[in-house]
Amino acid sequence: MGQIMGFMNKNVAEVFGNRRKRKRSTDSMLTKDDQSQMDTTQPKRKKLLTTTQYIYKTLFKEEKNSDVTVMALGKVWHLHKVYLSQSPYFYTMFNGTWREAQQKFIPIAILDDRITVASLDAVFGSMYSDEIEIESADVISVLATATLFHLDGIIDKCAELMVDNISPETANQYYDAACQYGVVGVKKSTFQCLQINLLSIYGKQPNLLRHISIELMSDLTASPDLYVIQTEISLYTLLRSWMFLRLHPDYDPEDPIQQTEAVKMQERLVQAGVETHTPIGDVVQWTYFTSRLEERSFLATPEGQPYVRVFQKLRTQYLTNHYMDLKIIHNDNIIPKEWLYRHIHNHWDALLRIDHGQEDYSPQQIDNEQFLESCMRCGRMLLEPGYQNWRWTGFNYGLDLILIMDSRRLNIRRRHQHEHERVLSLQTKRKLMVRITVTSIDDQRRAVFTQTSEICSLSLERNEEVPLMVLDPRLVHPLLISINMLVVMPPNQSFKEIVPLSIPISEIDSAVLIGQDSL
């Protein structure tokens, strides 16, 4: 029986095999025209829409079987409650005691000017589909709309897109949107981008700089993680430009006509023997502040009062470390002279204490928070690898400190040369506190990798060199290096807390006369 079955199976296989051979042979004998005609006569296979595509096309785009009409920003959508109820905003509306639960026409008042008709259409459509396409140019509008309707999935997608597209051009507006709509991750990433690029990029792009809010600039100025390139005076000049740009919204330093006027103004100042110590592009703002015929500081005027809190966060004790810096600050007359006088007094007092050998005035037993609030901030960009060394000039309490980058190691040296002994500290050992942060950035000026040291206390002898950091292999050039350093105990700076709004005698007389006239 088994042999019979095996024989039958073999015959069946041969029959079907022969049929396939005959079919292939017949097909090969057909001409191209015959094959083409056969293809046209055979029925076409039609690819069916997926359920999601069908729902989106039929119910949303063609608006069939709608049971609710929504109107916003002058546009009307014929929609469906069952799909809108995915949004907590609409679910509460349709299932609560609101009058809209029984209505078929629902007007929505849009109070947020970031929301657009296009973003509303995209968000409504997403409720009928399992995906949403968001263009980077529209992401803030979609985020605003998704926040209105409490759609967490779309909010998360917007956040991912924003983080991927952070750059100096987008960071400020993304930060404002993140604050308004509570997107913590975007706020953190954009703030980091602003800390990295504030001095190196925004100072060169005034039309980006002027849009930074007072609150944001205050937070950036206070941040110990701000990359200050080169020293605190660099941050001061940037704040001066920023304040001037906000006070003069119509001023555009990139406008050719205004550039020509600035050049002529610079030439007149040179002919008059006036030293501005400022680029041509900044001469207009320099003239604005220095030409004021008032004794009071600009921060003490009504125009300057809104900016007081920003300059209070500026570490003004490091603006008096160099003669030219002090001269600029004095001529600008933006910050109160009382601040400068107190700083100079504190500097001299500290220098005398150190020279007298009072160890208690060296930075020791100070907590991290106090260090970060008071430390000197200075920085540098290294474009290429290799041996490099640098220093920041100016008054430094008798310490000449050199930073040395050798291969993958960053060292610090207390240089003490005999020909400069009269201006250097004669103490055998000097104490200081320091923290190093090194960041590798990409083409979009975003942080790729950051390495930060602990806050360490050093005691350096004359000409002693010690290592600060061994660079992680993941750090590749270009590198941003930020140094936080403290060489004396920080003094009390409560005198900066209040800048009184003073009124010149001439204005007081005018006010009195106006008051008498009104009587």
Side-chain angles (χ1 to χ4, degrees), residues 281-330:
D282 297 336
V283 70
V284 176
Q285 54 164 297
W286 179 88
T287 304
Y288 174 77
F289 290 110
T290 58
S291 62
R292 294 172 51 247
L293 302 177
E294 298 186 49
E295 287 294 324
R296 60 177 175 170
S297 67
F298 184 78
L299 294 182
T301 67
E303 297 85 356
Q305 281 285 295
Y307 303 94
V308 167
R309 57 176 170 162
V310 178
F311 283 86
Q312 285 173 332
K313 298 297 194 313
L314 186 68
R315 304 188 181 188
T316 49
Q317 65 268 35
Y318 301 114
L319 297 179
T320 56
N321 287 2
H322 194 283
Y323 167 71
M324 290 306 303
D325 297 350
L326 183 59
K327 185 176 181 180
I328 290 171
I329 299 295
H330 187 272

Side-chain angles (χ1 to χ4, degrees), residues 35-97:
Q35 185 68 43
S36 177
Q37 184 177 0
M38 180 180 290
D39 291 341
T40 58
T41 57
Q42 290 179 351
K44 298 292 184 182
R45 294 180 180 178
K46 185 176 181 181
K47 185 178 180 180
L48 297 177
L49 292 174
T50 65
T51 302
T52 302
Q53 291 172 332
Y54 177 81
I55 290 172
Y56 181 82
K57 178 178 179 296
T58 305
L59 300 185
F60 180 68
K61 299 300 289 185
E62 297 177 3
E63 301 180 332
K64 292 183 179 179
N65 301 323
S66 168
D67 60 355
V68 64
T69 299
V70 175
M71 185 180 75
L73 296 178
K75 180 176 172 59
V76 172
W77 288 266
H78 300 285
L79 304 173
H80 306 78
K81 290 184 177 181
V82 67
Y83 288 101
L84 292 180
S85 293
Q86 296 174 84
S87 158
Y89 176 93
F90 286 108
Y91 180 86
T92 303
M93 181 184 294
F94 296 147
N95 294 278
T97 58

Side-chain angles (χ1 to χ4, degrees), residues 152-296:
D152 293 339
I154 299 179
I155 292 173
D156 292 341
K157 189 173 180 66
C158 289
E160 292 175 7
L161 181 60
M162 293 168 79
V163 170
D164 289 342
N165 286 277
I166 290 175
S167 68
E169 289 72 28
T170 62
N172 185 40
Q173 55 181 328
Y174 281 5
Y175 179 86
D176 290 342
C179 291
Q180 182 172 348
Y181 305 116
V183 189
V184 178
V186 175
K187 180 180 178 181
K188 181 179 178 180
S189 297
T190 51
F191 192 78
Q192 182 188 39
C193 179
L194 287 160
Q195 287 182 132
I196 290 173
N197 294 293
L198 181 65
L199 276 93
S200 54
I201 296 296
Y202 286 83
K204 302 173 185 177
Q205 300 189 29
N207 289 325
L208 290 178
L209 180 64
R210 69 169 9 116
H211 294 297
I212 297 179
S213 68
I214 292 177
E215 182 178 359
L216 174 55
M217 188 61 85
S218 178
D219 291 340
L220 288 169
T221 304
S223 173
D225 299 319
L226 180 68
Y227 286 76
V228 176
I229 314 282
Q230 299 280 334
T231 59
E232 201 78 14
I233 189 65
S234 304
L235 180 56
Y236 166 81
T237 56
L238 178 132
L239 292 180
R240 182 182 64 183
S241 299
W242 164 76
M243 183 167 61
F244 176 82
L245 291 168
R246 289 185 63 87
L247 290 169
H248 302 83
D250 296 330
Y251 175 70
D252 182 5
E254 298 178 358
D255 178 67
I257 297 177
Q258 297 188 45
Q259 286 180 346
T260 302
E261 293 176 353
V263 171
K264 293 179 180 179
M265 182 181 294
Q266 180 82 325
E267 292 174 350
R268 290 194 297 269
L269 291 171
V270 171
Q271 292 173 0
V274 178
E275 296 182 359
T276 62
H277 301 288
T278 186
I280 292 178
D282 297 336
V283 70
V284 176
Q285 54 164 297
W286 179 88
T287 304
Y288 174 77
F289 290 110
T290 58
S291 62
R292 294 172 51 247
L293 302 177
E294 298 186 49
E295 287 294 324
R296 60 177 175 170

Side-chain angles (χ1 to χ4, degrees), residues 452-475:
T452 303
S453 72
E454 298 292 334
I455 299 172
C456 59
S457 296
L458 304 176
S459 181
L460 297 180
E461 296 184 358
R462 301 173 189 176
N463 294 311
E464 182 180 3
E465 180 176 330
V466 298
L468 292 176
M469 175 185 288
V470 177
L471 270 60
D472 190 288
R474 288 170 288 184
L475 286 169

Side-chain angles (χ1 to χ4, degrees), residues 247-426:
L247 290 169
H248 302 83
D250 296 330
Y251 175 70
D252 182 5
E254 298 178 358
D255 178 67
I257 297 177
Q258 297 188 45
Q259 286 180 346
T260 302
E261 293 176 353
V263 171
K264 293 179 180 179
M265 182 181 294
Q266 180 82 325
E267 292 174 350
R268 290 194 297 269
L269 291 171
V270 171
Q271 292 173 0
V274 178
E275 296 182 359
T276 62
H277 301 288
T278 186
I280 292 178
D282 297 336
V283 70
V284 176
Q285 54 164 297
W286 179 88
T287 304
Y288 174 77
F289 290 110
T290 58
S291 62
R292 294 172 51 247
L293 302 177
E294 298 186 49
E295 287 294 324
R296 60 177 175 170
S297 67
F298 184 78
L299 294 182
T301 67
E303 297 85 356
Q305 281 285 295
Y307 303 94
V308 167
R309 57 176 170 162
V310 178
F311 283 86
Q312 285 173 332
K313 298 297 194 313
L314 186 68
R315 304 188 181 188
T316 49
Q317 65 268 35
Y318 301 114
L319 297 179
T320 56
N321 287 2
H322 194 283
Y323 167 71
M324 290 306 303
D325 297 350
L326 183 59
K327 185 176 181 180
I328 290 171
I329 299 295
H330 187 272
N331 290 340
D332 287 347
N333 195 20
I334 291 175
I335 65 177
K337 290 184 175 64
E338 291 78 10
W339 295 6
L340 303 181
Y341 300 152
R342 288 294 296 270
H343 289 317
I344 293 172
H345 174 271
N346 290 336
H347 289 334
W348 183 242
D349 180 65
L351 191 60
L352 291 177
R353 288 172 180 267
I354 292 169
D355 188 63
H356 195 63
Q358 292 192 13
E359 286 290 323
D360 62 329
Y361 217 72
S362 297
Q364 53 189 342
Q365 297 180 349
I366 182 175
D367 60 49
N368 290 355
E369 183 179 355
Q370 191 176 5
F371 170 83
L372 294 175
E373 287 178 351
S374 308
C375 61
M376 178 171 63
R377 299 175 294 184
C378 41
R380 187 179 181 90
M381 174 177 283
L382 302 182
L383 299 177
E384 300 292 340
Y387 179 88
Q388 301 183 60
N389 65 81
W390 66 93
R391 62 208 280 255
W392 291 280
T393 59
F395 174 75
N396 200 32
Y397 300 94
L399 277 177
D400 186 11
L401 299 173
I402 310 294
L403 276 295
I404 302 167
M405 177 71 80
D406 185 5
S407 183
R408 304 296 294 179
R409 187 182 297 271
L410 182 62
N411 295 349
I412 188 169
R413 178 193 299 164
R414 177 191 173 189
R415 189 170 71 167
H416 192 103
Q417 297 179 345
H418 294 293
E419 60 267 27
H420 302 303
E421 277 194 350
R422 296 303 298 269
V423 294
L424 295 177
S425 174
L426 299 180

Side-chain angles (χ1 to χ4, degrees), residues 13-26:
E14 290 178 353
V15 169
F16 279 100
N18 290 335
R19 286 184 180 180
R20 285 194 294 269
K21 291 178 182 178
R22 283 197 297 272
K23 185 174 188 309
R24 285 195 296 268
S25 177
T26 304

